[in-house]
């Protein structure tokens, strides 16, 4: 009865569509990878790296809805 589960014509049709589906998926992944990372449209000046100090840290948190912050010790050679 296993031949009834996958008769030749439906299986062939699914296998024939597989390359097209894989191509569409790959195309979508490429488009997402090439899309701009910023969606809020702020001006290019905000793309710059900020040097945060105790004096401007709270203000930066207020002004920017999203930030990636790297904390490091300037005296540490491998940091």
């Amino acid at each position: 009865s296993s031949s009834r589960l996958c008769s030749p014509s439906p299986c062939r049709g699914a296998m024939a569509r597989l390359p097209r589906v894989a191509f569409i998926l790959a195309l979508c992944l490429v488009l997402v990878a090439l899309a701009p990372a910023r969606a809020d449209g702020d001006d290019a000046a905000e793309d710059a790296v900020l040097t945060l100090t105790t004096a401007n840290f709270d203000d930066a948190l207020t002004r920017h809805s999203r930030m990636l912050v790297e904390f490091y010790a300037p005296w540490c050679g491998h940091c």
Side-chain angles (χ1 to χ4, degrees):
S1 180
S2 65
S3 64
R4 298 188 84 188
L5 294 176
C6 188
S7 62
S9 60
C11 288
R12 255 186 274 135
M15 294 304 284
R17 287 190 302 269
L18 188 60
R20 183 173 55 189
V21 171
F23 173 76
I24 291 171
L25 180 61
L27 181 62
C28 289
L29 290 173
V30 167
L31 292 175
V32 167
L34 295 176
R38 296 174 48 96
D40 55 355
D42 290 347
D43 51 18
E46 288 192 8
D47 287 336
V49 174
L50 301 175
T51 301
L52 300 176
T53 64
T54 55
N56 67 356
F57 187 81
D58 291 330
D59 182 51
L61 289 177
T62 303
R63 289 187 304 125
H64 303 283
S65 60
R66 289 178 232 131
M67 287 193 313
L68 176 63
V69 180
E70 176 186 10
F71 294 95
Y72 65 95
W75 60 86
C76 180
H78 69 274
C79 293

